[in-house]
Amino acid sequence: MQADVVIKNGTVVDGSGGPSRQADVAIAGGKIVAVGEVPATDAARVIDATDLKILPGFIDIHTHSDVSLILDPRCQSKILQGVTTEVTGNCSFAPFPFAPDKMELHADHLHRIGDGVPPLTWNDVDGYVATVETNPPAFNVAPLAGHGTLRVAAMGVDQREATPDELATMKRLLAECLEQGAFGMSTGLTHVPSAYGPEEEVTELVKVVAQYDALYATHQRGAKGRVFGGMEESIRTATAAGARLQASHAAINNPDHWGKAVEMLALVDEARDNGLDIAIDVYPYDASSSSLTQYLPQWVQDGGTEAMRARLADPAALERAEQELAAGWFGGIPWFWDRVLMTRTGAGDEWCVGLTIEQAAAKAGMTPAAFTLKTCLDHGNYPGVVLFYRTEDDMMTFLAHHTAVVGSDGSALPLDQGANKPHPRSFGTFPRIFGRYVRDKGLLTWEEAAVKTSSGVAERLQLADRGQIAEGLVADIVIMDPATVIDRSTFTDPAQSPTGIPYVIVNGAIAVDEGEQTEARSGRVLRRTR
């Protein structure tokens, strides 16, 4: 057989959910051309996969690599763990559509995802695709439109309801994004300015998503006084709009409600029984991470970072902000300042990276709330934190659910992170799934995990040409050592590549060879065509 690559003697976990089997895999022209017994005589490259598993490339359903993949197309932290496609534009942060007269606010908004912002020289999906493919990334990109970006484009960062004309503008811009191939829309209903949009506004936008049979992915709202109010709102919105719903990064972040994952999942199952197409995604850690400004009182952030700075120059406003911040976040979740770890700051304050806010505030001679406000005033949306507000038991309950797929909630980052200590999810999510929760804990079988990391995500995105090992599909493939695969990234030393993933193939090109990244940059921006 004429082939570019033949993978011999491996165990194929094909992503269908069916049993694994011994088989060879042949690749030609970027596609899988044979699965079975394949002679290697005419192959340009033969990979011996004896004692290894051959899986479909991982499709990360929830990421924030929108601009980091432009800043560094190597995408090291993700390609080395076997990610061959990323879904970007989550939590309302998307790099389109932009209003030309609001570019500074758009850049300020994108700073919340924390990886720096390149010059914004495009306005729409087409322009973004052209920019990305000028210097192609190591993996594929499936972008979503973002509610926060739509709001910035239509009305800035104002804390108010949209006027009828502004809502019409958002709907028009969203339709243009979907026409140009975006896979759906996300909300980030604890992030400004998406959080400023009431349920009625979101529902109107999700109706546009439903018209295209695209996906509505939601970072849910913090609902004061209701344990699962955010999930309830998401279900109401998707049901009213007739849309397919992806509940992002399922978790229980309030220590008062730890252990209630089964109760939350009962809402998902009830909604499915009532006809809603709903699924969840999960990342395998007991801590979350975000920009520090997400946790400030929302009125403080009205108008953007410069408006926030001007507002808090008023001593009375500063005192009110400190009191409200100290009282809790997301509708009253109590602060445990010793559970909140600084992961990045601006220049001059690198000393506090790796310290908890409690420790950093003590060194600065301030209260934790005052230190938090000062950090955000000094550095805007850039400072980041990790919050240890979850339990592994809850996470495992979510991960095992029949609707769950895997999303890292991380970014594609270089291994050289300097002083920064980003959440290890950006470096270890997928090897952690297979090493810890498949091999070591037995929570999932290899076949179940392949669905949750590949084909199940392809189904959510309606990607018919990838997600499984089968003849005729795109050759996005991971070869894994089941005995050694594991993440090495930790919260104190996160920027470490995993072990046990010797080969990664993207669109037929070998992107990781014997554990080392190659020069291949065979990724492209995928567009929704249905």
Side-chain angles (χ1 to χ4, degrees), residues 15-283:
S16 69
S20 304
R21 66 191 190 279
Q22 291 295 122
D24 306 326
V25 178
I27 300 166
K31 298 287 186 71
I32 298 169
V33 294
V35 181
E37 187 172 345
V38 177
T41 338
D42 296 323
R45 174 69 187 275
V46 177
I47 296 174
D48 183 3
T50 301
D51 298 327
L52 304 180
K53 292 187 182 289
I54 307 168
L55 299 97
F58 305 138
I59 306 175
D60 192 338
I61 198 170
H62 189 103
T63 83
H64 295 286
S65 300
D66 309 72
V67 292
S68 71
L69 61 84
I70 296 174
L71 294 167
D72 191 335
R74 294 176 299 171
C75 305
Q76 285 180 307
S77 71
K78 292 300 191 68
I79 197 68
L80 290 169
Q81 56 175 303
V83 174
T84 57
T85 301
E86 284 207 347
V87 182
T88 56
N90 282 285
C91 297
S92 86
F93 302 103
F96 53 77
F98 294 153
D101 62 336
K102 297 185 178 70
M103 298 305 281
E104 289 187 8
L105 287 176
H106 283 301
D108 189 37
H109 182 237
L110 290 175
H111 266 295
R112 292 176 185 267
I113 55 179
D115 307 310
V117 178
L120 304 181
T121 57
W122 63 90
N123 294 316
D124 58 6
V125 175
D126 286 344
Y128 177 71
V129 172
T131 300
V132 171
E133 294 192 342
T134 297
N135 192 5
F139 53 51
N140 303 304
V141 185
L144 300 169
H147 176 226
T149 306
L150 291 164
R151 247 192 168 244
V152 173
M155 56 185 294
V157 191
D158 294 351
Q159 187 179 20
R160 59 176 176 83
E161 292 188 11
T163 66
D165 284 348
E166 288 165 343
L167 180 56
T169 296
M170 283 189 268
K171 293 171 74 172
R172 174 180 59 80
L173 291 171
L174 174 58
E176 290 174 1
C177 291
L178 296 169
E179 288 284 351
Q180 292 180 12
F183 284 80
M185 183 193 77
S186 74
T187 50
L189 297 172
T190 63
H191 288 283
V192 168
S194 184
Y196 294 157
E199 183 175 338
E200 296 76 15
E201 172 184 307
V202 175
T203 301
E204 286 301 304
L205 291 169
V206 177
K207 287 178 181 178
V208 178
V209 174
Q211 289 170 9
Y212 288 83
D213 193 28
L215 191 65
Y216 171 43
T218 180
H219 169 135
Q220 297 167 354
R221 201 184 307 271
K224 188 173 184 178
R226 298 188 64 82
V227 179
F228 304 125
M231 179 65 80
E232 291 165 350
E233 178 186 343
S234 300
I235 291 170
R236 282 196 306 272
T237 296
T239 300
R244 299 185 297 115
L245 176 62
Q246 188 68 33
S248 299
H249 41 55
I252 296 177
N253 291 305
N254 189 334
D256 291 341
H257 303 304
W258 285 346
K260 295 183 178 179
V262 171
E263 295 176 37
M264 183 167 144
L265 290 170
L267 296 176
V268 175
D269 289 333
E270 180 183 12
R272 286 179 65 86
D273 290 343
N274 290 334
L276 182 64
D277 184 346
I278 177 176
I280 64 172
D281 52 73
V282 188
Y283 57 90

Side-chain angles (χ1 to χ4, degrees), residues 437-472:
Y437 296 105
V438 174
R439 182 191 60 227
D440 296 345
K441 286 186 172 290
L443 178 69
L444 305 171
T445 66
W446 291 93
E447 292 82 3
E448 289 169 338
V451 172
K452 291 179 181 293
T453 56
S454 300
S455 59
V457 185
E459 181 180 352
R460 298 302 292 159
L461 297 173
Q462 299 176 331
L463 282 174
D465 63 346
R466 64 195 74 220
Q468 294 190 43
I469 305 290
E471 291 181 18

Side-chain angles (χ1 to χ4, degrees), residues 111-112 114-116 291-293 344-347 379-384 420:
H111 266 295
R112 292 176 185 267
D115 307 310
S291 62
L292 186 55
T293 50
R344 63 177 184 263
T345 62
H379 305 294
N381 287 324
Y382 184 71
N420 292 346

Side-chain angles (χ1 to χ4, degrees), residues 399-442:
L399 180 59
H401 191 254
H402 63 101
T403 69
V405 292
V406 176
S408 70
D409 201 9
S411 298
L413 302 173
L415 292 179
D416 181 5
Q417 281 297 298
N420 292 346
K421 295 184 182 296
H423 194 297
R425 64 194 182 188
S426 291
F427 302 86
T429 289
F430 291 88
R432 185 174 178 84
I433 290 288
F434 286 90
R436 181 170 176 82
Y437 296 105
V438 174
R439 182 191 60 227
D440 296 345
K441 286 186 172 290

Side-chain angles (χ1 to χ4, degrees), residues 365-388:
M366 306 173 73
T367 67
F371 174 83
T372 297
L373 284 167
K374 183 178 186 303
T375 300
C376 294
L377 283 171
D378 289 346
H379 305 294
N381 287 324
Y382 184 71
V385 287
V386 162
L387 297 93
F388 293 91

